[in-house]
């Protein structure tokens, strides 16, 4: 139940253990119930077993923290805990295994906004922790999915590549020594998949697509949008609809 879930994320403040997000004399950050070898073993199980398990555990903790931060007053404590899981976890856990980016991307289409937005935030943070060469290799895998005929992989690929391009524009360029592929630019393929999402009634995908296009419209996407007037009118209608009481 909720009480058991809370005990995982917000443990009792033991005399010999730091509170979550604070540092003990050893320099370790308090994040789990228990101390010493037991606590370290728990963290290794959660974050040093597999990329998928790391992704699910991080996503669960961050969703819980986001939900609590909207309803409770301990925002400083929750922010420290979220910061730890996003940035400091890799240095704190021996043999840490990074989260699966594919697993995080699969939650972008979740019908619950808190799940989809948290998964996107974790994805952005995680891609910022890998090298440019790794991002380019990862982008090429998604470009192949983007150019498939099936709709669902194409939608996810467009959102992933669009988000990657906003944060790291060079990831869409060929790696050093690689020849650019023939055919339309990747940016065109991304926009062709994102614009229909803005026009449809699926609010989860619509919100994600509007964020990607809106955040990079003038710097990145504008030359590749075929019907700029239609897209801007639809975004205007959506803004009016959301402002309406």
């Amino acid at each position: 139940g909720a009480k058991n879930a809370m005990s995982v994320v917000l443990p009792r403040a033991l005399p010999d253990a730091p509170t979550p997000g604070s540092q003990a004399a050893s320099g370790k950050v308090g994040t789990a119930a228990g101390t010493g070898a037991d606590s370290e073993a728990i963290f290794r199980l959660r974050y040093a077993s597999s990329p998928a398990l790391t992704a699910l555990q991080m996503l669960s903790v961050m969703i819980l923290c986001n939900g609590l931060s909207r309803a409770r007053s301990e925002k400083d404590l929750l922010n420290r805990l979220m910061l730890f899981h996003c940035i400091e976890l890799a240095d704190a856990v021996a043999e840490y295994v990074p989260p699966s980016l594919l697993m995080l991307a699969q939650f972008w289409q979740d019908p619950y906004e808190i799940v989809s937005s948290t998964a996107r935030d974790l994805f952005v943070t995680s891609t910022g922790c890998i090298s440019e060469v790794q991002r380019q290799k990862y982008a090429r895998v998604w470009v192949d999915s983007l150019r498939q005929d099936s709709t669902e992989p194409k939608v996810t690929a467009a959102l992933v590549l669009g988000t990657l391009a906003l944060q790291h524009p060079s990831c869409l360029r060929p790696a050093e020594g690689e020849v650019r592929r023939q055919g339309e630019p990747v940016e065109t393929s991304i926009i062709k998949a994102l614009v229909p999402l803005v026009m449809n009634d699926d609010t989860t995908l619509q919100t994600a697509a509007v964020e990607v296009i809106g955040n990079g419209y003038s710097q990145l996407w504008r030359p590749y949008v075929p019907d700029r007037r239609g897209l801007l009118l639809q975004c205007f209608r959506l803004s009016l609809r959301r402002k309406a009481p």
Side-chain angles (χ1 to χ4, degrees), residues 46-193:
R46 293 173 179 170
Y47 298 108
S49 298
S50 72
L53 187 58
T54 298
L56 288 173
Q57 179 66 26
M58 289 181 71
L59 186 59
S60 299
V61 170
M62 297 297 286
I63 290 170
L64 183 56
C65 287
N66 279 332
L68 289 173
S69 67
R70 297 178 185 185
R72 297 168 65 95
S73 59
E74 297 93 339
K75 290 191 177 181
D76 289 342
L77 176 64
L78 294 167
N79 286 338
R80 288 201 302 272
L81 187 56
M82 287 191 285
L83 178 68
F84 171 80
H85 276 81
C86 285
I87 299 176
E88 302 169 12
L89 186 62
D91 295 327
V93 178
E95 301 176 359
Y96 172 76
V97 177
S100 165
L101 298 178
L102 175 60
M103 178 69 73
L104 293 175
Q106 289 175 343
F107 283 95
W108 288 16
Q109 297 189 43
D110 193 276
Y112 293 98
E113 187 273 335
I114 192 171
V115 176
S116 59
S117 62
T118 301
R120 288 197 297 273
D121 290 342
L122 275 175
F123 179 92
V124 169
T125 301
S126 299
T127 54
C129 296
I130 61 178
S131 69
E132 182 63 24
V133 172
Q134 289 175 307
R135 282 193 292 268
Q136 287 177 325
K137 290 180 179 178
Y138 186 71
R140 286 199 294 276
V141 172
W142 282 105
V143 169
D144 291 337
S145 296
L146 180 64
R147 290 173 173 164
Q148 292 180 6
D149 293 331
S150 51
T151 302
E152 187 171 340
K154 185 178 294 188
V155 167
T156 303
L159 290 170
V160 167
L161 288 169
T163 302
L164 276 173
L166 290 179
Q167 305 295 326
H168 312 282
S170 60
C171 74
L172 296 185
R173 302 173 195 148
E176 186 175 351
E178 184 183 41
V179 178
R180 182 178 285 275
R181 299 183 182 186
Q182 298 295 319
E184 67 181 15
V186 177
E187 293 86 348
T188 299
S189 300
I190 293 172
I191 285 297
K192 280 184 176 179

Side-chain angles (χ1 to χ4, degrees), residues 70 107-118 120-121 155 158-159 162-163 166 193-216 221 231 234-235 238-239 241-242:
R70 297 178 185 185
F107 283 95
W108 288 16
Q109 297 189 43
D110 193 276
Y112 293 98
E113 187 273 335
I114 192 171
V115 176
S116 59
S117 62
T118 301
R120 288 197 297 273
D121 290 342
V155 167
L159 290 170
T163 302
L166 290 179
L194 289 183
V195 169
L197 301 183
V198 177
M199 302 298 181
N200 73 16
D201 294 325
D202 186 328
T203 55
T204 300
L205 297 178
Q206 194 177 64
T207 299
V210 168
E211 286 179 359
V212 170
I213 295 176
N215 289 335
W221 308 121
L231 176 63
Q234 174 66 355
C235 291
L238 292 175
S239 67
R241 188 184 307 167
R242 289 172 187 177

Side-chain angles (χ1 to χ4, degrees), residues 210-225:
V210 168
E211 286 179 359
V212 170
I213 295 176
N215 289 335
Y217 182 78
S218 58
Q219 302 93 340
L220 184 60
W221 308 121
R222 191 174 185 275
Y224 305 100
V225 178

